[in-house]
Amino acid sequence: MDPPSKSWSIHTRSEIIAKYQILERVGAGAYADVYRGRRLSDDLIVALKEIHDYQSAFREIDALQILQGSPNVVVLHEYFWREDEDAVLVLEYLRTDLATVIDDAKKKKNGLPVGEIKRWMMQILCGVDSCHRNMIVHRDLKPGNLLIGDDGILKLADFGQARILGEPGFDTSEENPQTYEHDGSSLQAGSGNQEQGTVLREEYFRVLDELKTKRSAEDIDKDTNIPDGNTSCLATCTTSDIDDDPLKSSFSYEAREDEGEEAGCLTSCVGTRWFRAPELLYGSTNYGLEIDLWSLGCIFAELLTLDPLFPGTADIDQLSRIINVLGNLDEKAWPGCSKLPDYGIISFSKVENPPGLEACLPNRSPDEVALVKKLVCYDPAKRATATELLHDKYFNEEPLPVPVSELHVPLNRKGEDENSPWHDYNYMGSDSDLEDFGPVNITKTGTGFSIQFP
Ligand code: ADP
């Protein structure tokens, strides 16, 4: 942690230092610096999050305001926001996170007790359930964003990438700062559309239910035999990507210019790669809440094994790891997948006899494997919702979830230990490089370029 320094910009904010003493900087994320502070009026210890990106600040405030009162979402005490200044959010201070819990257990070389795993999972599910009931898709669920207080209560944090589906955030208005009126801390974004939001929410769940029923019916018809696609390993990107940085930059997983969030679509370049759903890796821009459910499955698997489920070193490697476990993605595994933007241009060799998730979860019970399978599956419509999982028999069977007060809460936060695989998290926001794949043949095409893995 950095010692206090008056050079931080937060010290220049008179309205903040009038109410808070800045104690130390405790973290820095992609768009923010986070400080531990003391509220002068009552000595309450808080986190002051100074967000350097307008959209990220807006999304976080909007989502947290809607989710206030949810026991497993970080509390937003107040916020400061003026024109031409970074937003500063005053959040409850939470000392550690789930990444540290996993790291700690790994260092001690003993797995987490099942009763503790279940309690962590249930808390995460409650938090995600609150988000999804409000049609908020978090888009960056990972152990480091699941903060934990001294009392063992886990809270979802870092809503800087969150979007509210079906509400103003879903159309162009959210991307337009001037469409919102705000003066200092009185910004009331997202209000006034509750009725419309409710209708869309119901409609969303109705369609989801329909899809689930349809998929279950299709499951019965196991004779359906759709041939696998290409067997070459080919990926295609846009010309501009390769012009910029042919081997270091990523495949083009960001929304194409003409169909970005400004045009009402979502971007596919969200979330930390290891937890990113396959629809995002294939460039989807009209995904739903289900991307969080995939991340949830990856987090659960990690709690069970203490190792990341799919630690991809690049986006293609990420997809390749998934395919090597689940098998090739085809219309049988996920009806409609061939319409994904990048489906036709990224293909992998045929994986004969994929080992399945069991292979990634050795020594875990069939119920635990089944739980992860309900989330880590190709077809988003087949992923179990947080509400469904909260009623899963796994949580009502022995060993029962331990009381929150009996959870082992690490004393500090995972450090900057270079030997720890966790330090990679810092780099996972940036995208892939192709070096892991050895020589590649790159050919310019009419619309972009193609990469052939020999
Ligand atoms: P970003 O949106 O830039 O990713 P985060 O919200 O992830 O920022 O915050 C960066 C770091 O600051 C976190 O990894 C964590 O260490 C710390 N942090 C964030 N929120 C809190 C909080 N409420 N209490 C304590 N520490 C926090």
Side-chain angles (χ1 to χ4, degrees), residues 320-444:
S320 157
R321 283 169 189 264
I322 295 169
I323 285 164
N324 281 328
V325 171
L326 300 187
N328 293 91
L329 174 59
D330 54 28
E331 283 284 329
K332 190 175 169 191
W334 174 7
C337 71
S338 57
K339 295 197 182 73
L340 286 166
D342 293 344
Y343 184 79
I345 51 180
I346 305 173
S347 56
F348 294 86
S349 309
K350 173 106 178 85
V351 179
E352 306 285 352
N353 305 319
L357 284 164
E358 317 41 22
C360 306
L361 299 161
N363 309 319
R364 299 310 315 193
S365 73
D367 283 350
E368 288 168 333
V369 176
L371 189 84
V372 176
K373 279 186 173 177
K374 285 178 188 171
L375 294 163
V376 180
C377 60
Y378 281 131
D379 187 347
K382 278 191 187 156
R383 291 177 205 150
T385 64
T387 317
E388 285 165 357
L389 287 177
L390 279 167
H391 293 104
D392 197 285
K393 68 178 170 58
Y394 177 66
F395 297 109
N396 294 307
E397 284 171 354
E398 295 285 343
L400 292 171
V402 300
V404 169
S405 58
E406 287 178 24
L407 286 166
H408 171 75
V409 179
L411 288 174
N412 42 23
R413 206 181 291 268
K414 181 173 61 64
E416 300 290 332
D417 179 2
E418 293 245 322
N419 297 322
S420 161
W422 293 107
H423 90 279
D424 291 344
Y425 273 4
N426 295 333
Y427 303 106
M428 284 187 298
S430 66
D431 253 319
S432 61
D433 71 56
L434 302 176
E435 284 165 355
D436 300 331
F437 297 94
V440 292
N441 299 324
I442 302 174
T443 324
K444 283 213 178 198

Side-chain angles (χ1 to χ4, degrees), residues 137-194:
V137 53
H138 183 285
R139 303 204 297 183
D140 195 15
L141 289 176
K142 60 180 177 180
N145 283 340
L146 304 173
L147 302 186
I148 299 168
D150 292 337
D151 51 7
I153 297 181
L154 174 149
K155 307 216 176 186
L156 269 57
D158 194 0
F159 283 77
Q161 295 204 43
R163 292 294 304 268
I164 304 163
L165 303 180
E167 288 193 331
F170 203 52
D171 62 31
T172 55
S173 55
E174 192 207 15
E175 317 296 337
N176 256 333
Q178 62 273 28
T179 57
Y180 292 92
E181 293 193 358
H182 58 87
D183 60 336
S185 59
S186 63
L187 183 89
Q188 287 297 315
S191 62
N193 280 283
Q194 299 298 348

Side-chain angles (χ1 to χ4, degrees), residues 134-393:
N134 285 286
M135 294 304 286
I136 293 171
V137 53
H138 183 285
R139 303 204 297 183
D140 195 15
L141 289 176
K142 60 180 177 180
N145 283 340
L146 304 173
L147 302 186
I148 299 168
D150 292 337
D151 51 7
I153 297 181
L154 174 149
K155 307 216 176 186
L156 269 57
D158 194 0
F159 283 77
Q161 295 204 43
R163 292 294 304 268
I164 304 163
L165 303 180
E167 288 193 331
F170 203 52
D171 62 31
T172 55
S173 55
E174 192 207 15
E175 317 296 337
N176 256 333
Q178 62 273 28
T179 57
Y180 292 92
E181 293 193 358
H182 58 87
D183 60 336
S185 59
S186 63
L187 183 89
Q188 287 297 315
S191 62
N193 280 283
Q194 299 298 348
E195 232 171 76
Q196 187 202 6
T198 310
V199 172
L200 289 168
R201 201 166 295 158
E202 283 163 4
E203 175 70 0
Y204 182 90
F205 282 114
R206 189 186 60 71
V207 174
L208 194 69
D209 275 349
E210 271 177 23
L211 268 171
K212 275 179 185 289
T213 317
K214 195 162 160 254
R215 294 282 194 274
S216 312
E218 283 166 4
D219 271 352
I220 299 164
D221 179 18
K222 295 283 181 202
D223 293 337
T224 321
N225 192 5
I226 296 162
D228 293 307
N230 270 326
T231 49
S232 68
C233 186
L234 182 71
T236 306
C237 314
T238 58
T239 315
S240 57
D241 294 326
I242 197 167
D243 284 347
D244 286 347
D245 192 359
L247 286 180
K248 287 237 165 57
S249 71
S250 73
F251 288 88
S252 177
Y253 289 124
E254 284 199 52
R256 291 165 185 134
E257 259 176 56
D258 57 341
E259 51 184 55
E261 293 195 41
E262 290 76 5
C265 298
L266 299 170
T267 174
S268 56
C269 192
V270 289
T272 307
R273 185 187 304 117
W274 294 357
F275 305 91
R276 206 179 286 164
E279 57 267 38
L280 295 173
L281 294 164
Y282 273 107
S284 171
T285 53
N286 65 349
Y287 48 84
L289 301 171
E290 303 85 2
I291 62 160
D292 285 346
L293 300 171
W294 175 278
S295 310
L296 210 53
C298 297
I299 296 169
F300 286 178
E302 192 160 330
L303 271 171
L304 294 165
T305 65
L306 305 181
D307 281 315
L309 179 61
F310 298 125
T313 55
D315 286 355
I316 288 290
D317 181 48
Q318 189 68 32
L319 265 178
S320 157
R321 283 169 189 264
I322 295 169
I323 285 164
N324 281 328
V325 171
L326 300 187
N328 293 91
L329 174 59
D330 54 28
E331 283 284 329
K332 190 175 169 191
W334 174 7
C337 71
S338 57
K339 295 197 182 73
L340 286 166
D342 293 344
Y343 184 79
I345 51 180
I346 305 173
S347 56
F348 294 86
S349 309
K350 173 106 178 85
V351 179
E352 306 285 352
N353 305 319
L357 284 164
E358 317 41 22
C360 306
L361 299 161
N363 309 319
R364 299 310 315 193
S365 73
D367 283 350
E368 288 168 333
V369 176
L371 189 84
V372 176
K373 279 186 173 177
K374 285 178 188 171
L375 294 163
V376 180
C377 60
Y378 281 131
D379 187 347
K382 278 191 187 156
R383 291 177 205 150
T385 64
T387 317
E388 285 165 357
L389 287 177
L390 279 167
H391 293 104
D392 197 285
K393 68 178 170 58

